[in-house]
Structure formats: structure tokens, C-alpha cells
Amino acid sequence: RPPRSTLFPYTTLFRSEARLVIMVGGDEAAFGRGRPLFEVMGRNICRHGGPGAGQYCKMANQIAVAVGMVAWVEALAYAKQAGLDPAAVHGSISGGAAGSWALTNLAPRALGGNFAPGFYVKHIIKDMKIALDSAAELKLDLPGLAVAIRLYEQVATRGWDECGTQALYRLYTEL
């Protein structure tokens, strides 16, 4: 196999950190041909099956993200309402069984009032609706996802759809 610089002479122009998670569906031979490109963008690369399989995996990811966001937001809103310091509670729970990437990375931003987007509210709503429609086609009831959509739509109706997904915490603290 030729060195990366031979295959991709323009990669230095955008200095990819190769941090994307790449979920692929499609023909195995085509996946093999495309793999060098995927490796420029990410290290966690998986072919999940035929056409459409990558989209199903992406929707599974978005379901986990959206419902997980509700979990940590409610936990920290509960802590605040109970008179605890949400930042201290975050420090206690983020390293244990409740831990997640979102709790570790987005909760501190939300607690600090930073709702700048990493991933937009409007985009998570779009993805959740696709996932919910797909679940209906699969004859699968996802009540957690339905709750997450309802909550994020409340965030959007307040004009925060251009904020990051951690703006869900703002909904709880401003109610």
C-alpha cells in the first residue's frame, strides 16, 4: 500500500485529526476501496452491512446521544433544585456508571452558560425525527426518543435551535 502522502496529497491542507466515527453501509468491495479515504477522517471505521446499514447505525448513535442528554440534564437539574452544587455533582457522577462523553464534555459548558454549538439543536431534532420515523417503519416503539424530541422541540421554540445540544439544560433551568 502506498504511503498516505502519496494517496492523499491534499490532506495537509486541512490537517485532519481523524477523529470521526465512520459508520458505513454498502458493498464490501466498495468499502475496501473507500477505506483509505475514511482513514483520513477517522480511526473508528466500521462497515455494518449492505446499503442503508450505516444510516441505521448513525440513527442508533443519535438515539443514544439524545436520550443520554436528557439523562444528564435531568440529573444536574435535580441536583440544583435539591440545593446541591451541580458542578460538584457533575464531578462526582461523571467518572462513574453515569459517565458519558456528553456528561464529561457538554455538561461543564452548560453549567458555565456556554451554549455555543458543537452539534446544533436543529440538527439533533432532524436526526431524532428520522430515527423515530425509521423506528415506526421497523414497528419499534421508542418512548425515550419521543420524550427527547418533545424536549428539544421546546428548546427550539424558545429560539435556541442554533445553540448546541447542551441548551437542553437551559430549558430545565429557565422553567
Side-chain angles (χ1 to χ4, degrees):
R1 177 167 148 178
R4 183 177 298 231
S5 60
T6 304
L7 287 172
F8 308 105
Y10 301 107
T11 58
T12 56
L13 292 176
F14 63 88
R15 297 184 191 266
S16 171
E17 295 179 14
R19 294 188 317 177
L20 293 178
V21 173
I22 302 181
M23 308 158 197
V24 181
D27 177 75
E28 192 165 352
F31 172 71
R33 288 190 305 273
R35 188 169 184 97
L37 291 172
F38 299 144
E39 289 173 351
V40 171
M41 298 178 284
R43 295 284 174 252
N44 185 348
I45 304 162
C46 185
R47 178 181 170 269
H48 291 276
Q55 182 69 9
Y56 283 132
C57 184
K58 171 68 173 175
M59 290 303 98
N61 180 78
Q62 297 306 77
I63 292 165
V65 167
V67 177
M69 294 287 289
V70 173
W72 72 255
V73 164
E74 288 192 358
L76 296 181
Y78 172 86
K80 182 177 181 179
Q81 192 66 23
L84 303 175
D85 174 4
V89 171
H90 173 265
S92 294
I93 69 174
S94 62
S100 69
W101 184 93
L103 180 61
T104 299
N105 294 282
L106 297 178
R109 292 174 63 190
L111 292 173
N114 178 354
F115 302 108
F119 195 77
Y120 289 94
V121 166
K122 64 184 178 182
H123 294 158
I124 196 72
I125 290 171
K126 172 194 61 80
D127 287 352
M128 288 187 294
K129 287 180 178 179
I130 292 168
L132 198 59
D133 289 346
S134 178
E137 290 173 10
L138 297 169
K139 298 182 182 2
L140 179 62
D141 183 32
L142 299 177
L145 180 60
V147 167
I149 289 173
R150 183 176 55 79
L151 291 168
Y152 271 105
E153 285 177 338
Q154 289 179 38
V155 171
T157 61
R158 285 171 171 71
W160 305 331
D161 58 327
E162 295 283 329
C163 293
T165 54
Q166 72 274 17
L168 183 60
Y169 184 73
R170 187 175 178 188
L171 178 71
Y172 278 74
T173 59
E174 291 188 15
L175 289 178

